Amino acid sequence: MQPFRTAIVVVASIVGGAVTLCTAAIVLTALAAITGATVSVPGLITATPGDGSTLATASTGNATTVWFIAVTLAFVAVELLVIRRRRPQHEHRVSAAD
C-alpha cells in the first residue's frame, strides 16, 4: 500500500476516534441531565446530574487515552481490511477487461 494512502487512513481514523469519543461524552451528559442519575463508561467519562442552572457535568476518566487509542486502532484495522478486500476485486476486473 502506498505511504500516502496509509497516512490518509491513519489521519481519518484519528479524527473518527475523536468524533466517536466526543459523541459518547455528549450522549452520556445528555442522559445524565435527562434521567437525573449518574451515568458512566468506566475509564472514559462520568456524567453527573446538576442542580439548578447546571443541567449536568461531565469529567473524563483516567483511561481516556487508552479508549482513544483502542477506538482509533479499531478504525485503522477496519479501513485496512476494507482496502484489502477491495483491491483483489479491482485487479480482477481490470484483468478481465483485457
Side-chain angles (χ1 to χ4, degrees), residues 8-34:
I8 294 294
V9 166
V10 170
V11 170
S13 297
I14 290 170
V15 171
V19 168
T20 300
L21 294 183
C22 288
T23 303
I26 292 168
V27 168
L28 287 177
T29 304
L31 190 60
I34 292 169

Side-chain angles (χ1 to χ4, degrees), residues 6-80:
T6 304
I8 294 294
V9 166
V10 170
V11 170
S13 297
I14 290 170
V15 171
V19 168
T20 300
L21 294 183
C22 288
T23 303
I26 292 168
V27 168
L28 287 177
T29 304
L31 190 60
I34 292 169
T35 63
T38 300
V39 181
S40 69
V41 173
L44 178 59
I45 188 170
T46 301
T48 55
D51 52 344
S53 62
T54 305
L55 294 176
T57 57
S59 59
T60 57
N62 54 357
T64 303
T65 306
V66 175
W67 275 93
F68 177 70
I69 291 169
V71 170
T72 300
L73 288 177
F75 280 139
V76 168
V78 168
E79 184 65 28
L80 291 177

